[in-house]
Each structure stands twice: as structure tokens, then as C-alpha cells.
Amino acid sequence: MAISAHHGSKKQRGTALIVSLLILLVLTILGVAAMSTTTMEEKMAGNSRKIDLAFQSAESALRDAQTDPAIKNDLTAFDSTCTNGLCLPSVTGTPVWDTVNWSTNARIYGAYTGATAIPGVPAPVYIIEKMPPVVTPGNNLGQAGSSSQVYRITSRATGPGGVVVVELQSVYKP
């Protein structure tokens, strides 16, 4: 008398295999989505770092411009063509910083002050506009007012790789 070891083999249809494959497919989709999210977050963090470095570089250029000899000595080299980064305000209505050639006419960070280069980023540049004197009225009747010279400084910096560009501006009264 022979005993069969394959009871019910005709009734099995591979449902366990199909369920296992479906679970594996869902886990694969979840893994790919997690990797995609992580990659996107890494790119965002890298871009944020580039923006921060460019901003810090532009801020350093603003501070460097405040110690520039052109401001300290009130040079007369300011002109409407913005030669050597020393500009007079625009009379056309278009801001100087929109028309200046940043690669040839701007002053390079540290070139006139001896400031050390900023590691990891290209050297920032800046322009200095000599604004009309600001007149401050006197405090009492009959008291004469005073005038003081102010400068508008615009700096431009690029982040690592040259993709990010940051422009900052300040008004400085020595």
C-alpha cells in the first residue's frame, strides 16, 4: 500500500508567492521614495550652504568697502562711468548697480584694504557710490544745519561653483 506525500498538491495555486511578491514590490517602492527624498534634502542643504557662503562673502565685501581709502580720503575719482568701482549716482533712473560691468569696473575685495581672501568662494566685488551730501537741519531757530557725506555701497558675491549670486547694499556715513 503506497502512501502519497503530496496531499492537496492539485489545490495549491501559488498565492503565497503572489502575496510575497506584492509585499516586496511595496517595500521596493517605499525604499525608492525614501532615497529620492533623502537625495532632494541633500541637494537643498547643499544649496543652502552655497547661499550662506555667498551671503557671508558679500557681507565681508560691504565691511571691506567701509574701510576703503576712497571713503577715508574722500577721493575725487568718483565719476558717472563708475571707473574703478567709484561711482556717482545715476541720472537716468536706472540704478548704477544694474548697469555697471561687475567684472571690469568693480573693486575687488581686499585689493585696496589688504583684507585676506575668503576661502572656498571667488573674491567678492563692490562699488561705492558717492551720494549727494545729506543736510541735517539745526536744532534751534536760527541755528545752521550741517551736511555730511554718505556713500551707497553695493557688493556682489558668488557662492562655490558660481551658481549662486548675492547682492547686498548699505548706506555708509563715515
Side-chain angles (χ1 to χ4, degrees), residues 111-170:
Y112 298 92
T113 61
T116 58
I118 303 166
V121 293
V125 292
Y126 60 88
I127 59 171
I128 303 171
E129 288 178 78
K130 186 175 185 177
M131 304 304 288
V134 175
V135 178
T136 307
N139 292 335
N140 298 324
L141 245 115
Q143 183 181 16
S146 63
S147 68
S148 57
Q149 184 61 55
V150 293
Y151 300 89
R152 179 171 36 208
I153 302 168
T154 306
S155 67
R156 181 182 177 110
T158 56
V163 177
V164 176
V165 177
V166 173
E167 285 186 10
L168 296 179
Q169 195 170 74
S170 70

Side-chain angles (χ1 to χ4, degrees), residues 60-140:
S60 295
L62 282 180
R63 301 295 163 243
D64 186 53
Q66 291 175 359
T67 62
D68 193 297
I71 291 178
K72 285 183 173 181
N73 302 327
D74 195 27
L75 297 178
T76 57
F78 291 87
D79 61 22
S80 59
T81 60
C82 217
T83 306
N84 205 18
L86 303 176
C87 314
L88 291 175
S90 173
V91 293
T92 64
T94 304
V96 173
W97 59 89
D98 280 344
T99 60
V100 72
N101 185 338
W102 285 98
S103 60
T104 59
N105 288 15
R107 294 169 88 81
I108 299 171
Y109 173 84
Y112 298 92
T113 61
T116 58
I118 303 166
V121 293
V125 292
Y126 60 88
I127 59 171
I128 303 171
E129 288 178 78
K130 186 175 185 177
M131 304 304 288
V134 175
V135 178
T136 307
N139 292 335
N140 298 324

